[in-house]
Amino acid sequence: TSKYVLAGVAAGDSVITGTFKNGFSTTVTITVSDTPVSITVITPTTSWNTDTSFTGLAGATKQLRAKLAFSDSTEYSNFDAGSSWLTVSDILTFSSANEAYFTVSTIGLVTLVANFYNRVDLTISSKCDSGAVTTVSATESVYPNLLPGVRDVDFGNQYGQQFDPITATGSTSTVNVYINTGTRKLQLFKITAVLEAAKLKVVVGSCVAGSGWGNSRSFTCNDASETDKVIIVGGPTTSLGAAAAANSYILVAQFQVESLVNTGTALIQGVINDIIDLDASSGAADGISNAAVVAGQGYMKLSASRRRLLSSDAEWDAVYGNDTALWEADTPPRLHRHLLQTCTASYLGDVTGNSAVTGADLIFYQYLILDLACVTAGTCEAGTEKNLATIASMGDSFQRQQLDPQLYYLKATAAANALCTVPGQTAPCVTLAGYTILLNAVAEKGYFLDVDDTTYSSVVTAPTSSTGSLTIGAKLRGLDGCLQSSTSKAEVLMEIRTENNKEMSVTTGALFGDGTTSLGRMFTAAVVSDVWTVVLSPPTSGWQYDSTAAVVIIVRPLTATGAAFTTEKSLFYDTSSSPASGTFDGFATIAFPTFSPTTSPTASPT
């Protein structure tokens, strides 16, 4: 069947004759009128995404469509730029209320530019250059909402308004975190979300794994160290073992934010510290580091009122200010990128030797925990495990010590070897506790004891007389390898096991609680010249010899409110459970020598 489109060229009647193959013919008369008609009603028919939103990658396009009714009762049910007999721009004009978020061409092709927290008006108007008829128009209010490209991250909702608005001070909103993996499998990620500090704060303890990542894979959040920052770490999974998540848009996490004000908007942006993904067929790994989040950057609305959407950028900026200028000027702070070891070359956790503790260290650590045959043999070809050193080839080198952030290798050989996760490995070796510590360190909520002195002979300064002081001192290093001496960031506890000197008193530092434990005394260290220090005075009878005396050091990172992290295990040097519970395996020994009596002995009766 053939179709013909007829266009009038002059007023009058035209007879059209159609002849069939068998010779039968028929005619129809078509009247062409030159009486002007006008558009009386425009009814938009564009198909939008959920909640009248346009979601897609930056630069995505969509054609506006509409039903047109004319003054002579003629109707076109789906008039669009595809009409071949009439130029759209001859009868219609198209406009966007703000071209920072949507642009629209002369034929009604809309281009998605950026996220916005309100709907933007897209208007179709009739056009009459002579002004002989009244112009009619129709407007659709549409949310612009970017989706992430491959290896990009999206914060907020995938459809509708990017972020659910907050209407009152103290109220909260949930922020979703999506990663686009394309056709690859997501193995590991570290994402830092940064909030506009004067307007939003993260709800402590609200960060959880998303349904796309699940609870069976490694995951941790740091939503408490700073009120304006959330660090999200997931992984690793391995191409040679547990299945990696695979989906174009993976919901990896959710966290909540609380409003500090009830007007205006608040910027949310972020950094992709690490995304490592795997080829679905070969398992080969690749990824990106230190990239700005694109699709997720946007503004959260902090009031219930709706801005009137103005017809021009100049009018908009004059009334409300230029949000676009702020957007372009804002860049993620440098401190949210990888923290390189700028202060020391001896920093636990850097098993790959790149002067930083990153996701690559976690991947290597996990491969060693899994004791993959190819790692042991040094024959792995696919993924980031390729060409990595094996436990056997490390010997007692610095890199091997990096695998042991709790310093188990400083214990007696038999005791240290017994802690290795993989049977047959010898200390320094990988442990499940060590993996958890590295995971928390990557999330920037953990510290390590200084490792410049690998024997730790300087941790304990024993008294030189029965009335002298006992000093215990330790240094901490942060993720950047620099000394951490801020009491607002960490708390260091020192428990001393002693049978004969429990009545000692503290002169530098303080009792932890009442100081009493089942095996000795517990103290909170004070910072003296970057050293976390406890100085103790002897009992009134002087120091007594104690061959089993030892100390355990407990490092507890603190939240922004000064509380210890309650969902994370503290870092114990050197015991696998809380010293106060009765399990005590001393990190460093205390030598209480035999001193001369401090007072003259009482004379014995004759």
Side-chain angles (χ1 to χ4, degrees):
T1 302
S2 299
K3 293 183 178 180
Y4 296 91
V5 176
L6 303 179
V9 295
D13 293 334
S14 179
V15 178
I16 307 298
T17 301
T19 302
F20 293 87
K21 187 175 181 180
N22 61 4
F24 176 79
S25 64
T26 187
T27 61
V28 62
T29 300
I30 296 178
T31 300
V32 178
S33 172
D34 59 2
T35 302
V37 295
S38 60
I39 298 174
T40 56
V41 179
I42 301 174
T43 305
T45 59
T46 308
S47 177
W48 300 107
N49 299 110
T50 303
D51 197 19
T52 317
S53 59
F54 181 7
T55 63
L57 302 179
T61 59
K62 184 180 287 289
Q63 178 63 50
L64 291 177
R65 288 180 167 81
K67 176 182 178 181
L68 304 181
F70 291 83
S71 56
D72 64 351
S73 299
T74 302
E75 287 189 352
Y76 293 94
S77 60
N78 193 19
F79 188 85
D80 61 33
S83 300
S84 60
W85 61 277
L86 184 61
T87 302
V88 172
S89 57
D90 287 344
I91 62 170
L92 296 175
T93 61
F94 306 89
S95 64
S96 166
N98 195 300
E99 294 194 344
Y101 310 103
F102 285 137
T103 61
V104 60
S105 71
T106 57
I107 62 170
L109 189 66
V110 178
T111 299
L112 176 60
V113 179
N115 293 312
F116 194 49
Y117 54 86
N118 263 338
R119 299 180 191 270
V120 174
D121 286 350
L122 297 172
T123 301
I124 305 175
S125 301
S126 61
K127 179 180 180 182
C128 181
D129 293 335
S130 68
V133 296
T134 301
T135 299
V136 297
S137 62
T139 297
E140 293 183 278
S141 297
V142 182
Y143 285 120
N145 192 335
L146 294 181
L147 292 177
V150 175
R151 294 181 183 150
D152 189 22
V153 172
D154 193 15
F155 296 140
N157 303 316
Q158 287 189 299
Y159 301 102
Q161 201 168 8
Q162 182 188 9
F163 299 113
D164 293 331
I166 300 178
T167 58
T169 302
S171 295
T172 62
S173 180
T174 298
V175 178
N176 299 317
V177 182
Y178 293 91
I179 296 177
N180 182 2
T181 60
T183 60
R184 298 175 66 84
K185 294 183 177 181
L186 180 61
Q187 185 182 33
L188 177 140
F189 59 89
K190 177 182 177 181
I191 308 297
T192 301
V194 186
L195 314 179
E196 192 169 346
K199 299 179 180 180
L200 288 176
K201 69 176 182 179
V202 62
V203 177
V204 174
S206 65
C207 184
V208 296
S211 59
W213 188 250
N215 296 320
S216 62
R217 301 181 177 94
S218 298
F219 180 87
T220 191
C221 276
N222 183 351
D223 58 11
S225 290
E226 298 181 41
T227 59
D228 65 337
K229 181 175 73 173
V230 182
I231 300 174
I232 306 164
V233 180
T237 58
T238 170
S239 59
L240 304 177
N247 195 355
S248 292
Y249 298 104
I250 300 175
L251 178 61
V252 297
Q254 294 176 305
F255 63 91
Q256 290 186 319
V257 296
E258 179 182 331
S259 176
L260 303 177
V261 296
N262 63 358
T263 59
T265 60
L267 178 65
I268 298 177
Q269 57 184 349
V271 172
I272 301 169
N273 304 101
D274 277 312
I275 287 180
I276 299 176
D277 50 33
L278 306 169
D279 182 272
S281 299
S282 68
D286 200 356
I288 60 171
S289 296
N290 291 336
V293 169
V294 176
Q297 180 169 283
Y299 289 85
M300 177 176 285
K301 191 175 179 181
L302 302 181
S303 65
S305 61
R306 183 178 185 272
R307 284 185 175 181
R308 181 172 66 89
L309 300 181
L310 304 176
S311 59
S312 71
D313 290 344
E315 185 182 4
W316 183 287
D317 294 342
V319 177
Y320 296 116
N322 190 344
D323 282 345
T324 306
L326 175 62
W327 182 299
E328 293 170 349
D330 280 328
T331 56
R334 178 67 181 88
L335 65 89
H336 299 301
R337 299 176 183 271
H338 279 323
L339 298 178
L340 298 179
Q341 296 174 17
T342 57
C343 299
T344 179
S346 302
Y347 182 54
L348 291 170
D350 177 23
V351 295
T352 56
N354 66 344
S355 298
V357 177
T358 68
D361 298 297
L362 286 174
I363 291 174
F364 184 25
Y365 205 95
Q366 188 199 50
Y367 284 138
L368 294 174
I369 286 178
L370 292 173
D371 196 28
L372 299 176
C374 65
V375 175
T376 304
T379 58
C380 294
E381 292 298 328
T384 55
E385 72 277 15
K386 181 179 179 181
N387 296 327
L388 290 176
T390 65
I391 282 282
S393 67
M394 289 180 189
D396 293 323
S397 66
F398 166 75
Q399 186 181 14
R400 188 163 176 177
Q401 292 177 6
Q402 301 299 83
L403 302 173
D404 187 4
Q406 286 189 288
L407 308 177
Y408 286 152
Y409 67 88
L410 295 179
K411 300 158 79 67
T413 301
N417 293 346
L419 293 168
C420 295
T421 296
V422 180
Q425 288 186 0
T426 57
C429 57
V430 292
T431 65
L432 293 177
Y435 175 81
T436 301
I437 290 166
L438 287 185
L439 183 68
N440 289 337
V442 171
E444 300 178 28
K445 56 180 177 181
Y447 303 101
F448 298 99
L449 287 185
D450 181 88
V451 294
D452 290 337
D453 176 6
T454 55
T455 65
Y456 280 88
S457 59
S458 62
V459 170
V460 176
T461 303
T464 57
S465 70
S466 62
T467 58
S469 296
L470 167 64
T471 300
I472 304 171
K475 295 180 180 180
L476 298 186
R477 293 195 182 272
L479 193 64
D480 56 1
C482 299
L483 291 176
Q484 170 54 258
S485 58
S486 172
T487 55
S488 66
K489 296 290 186 180
E491 179 180 55
V492 176
L493 306 180
M494 297 179 178
E495 185 181 23
I496 298 175
R497 177 182 63 187
T498 178
E499 292 294 329
N500 303 329
N501 296 286
K502 290 184 178 180
E503 300 307 314
M504 56 190 163
S505 58
V506 59
T507 57
T508 299
L511 290 173
F512 179 73
D514 65 4
T516 302
T517 71
S518 60
L519 296 174
R521 304 281 276 169
M522 181 86 80
F523 304 94
T524 302
V527 177
V528 180
S529 299
D530 290 331
V531 179
W532 297 79
T533 304
V534 168
V535 179
L536 301 167
S537 296
T540 55
S541 59
W543 294 113
Q544 304 299 309
Y545 177 73
D546 191 338
S547 62
T548 63
V551 62
V552 165
I553 298 176
I554 307 163
V555 179
R556 302 206 304 177
L558 300 181
T559 69
T561 60
F565 277 93
T566 57
T567 58
E568 305 297 334
K569 182 178 178 180
S570 297
L571 179 56
F572 292 98
Y573 297 88
D574 186 351
T575 182
S576 59
S577 61
S578 172
S581 69
T583 300
F584 201 108
D585 191 359
F587 167 71
T589 58
I590 303 174
F592 288 116
T594 302
F595 299 112
S596 299
T598 57
T599 59
S600 300
T602 302
S604 300
T606 57

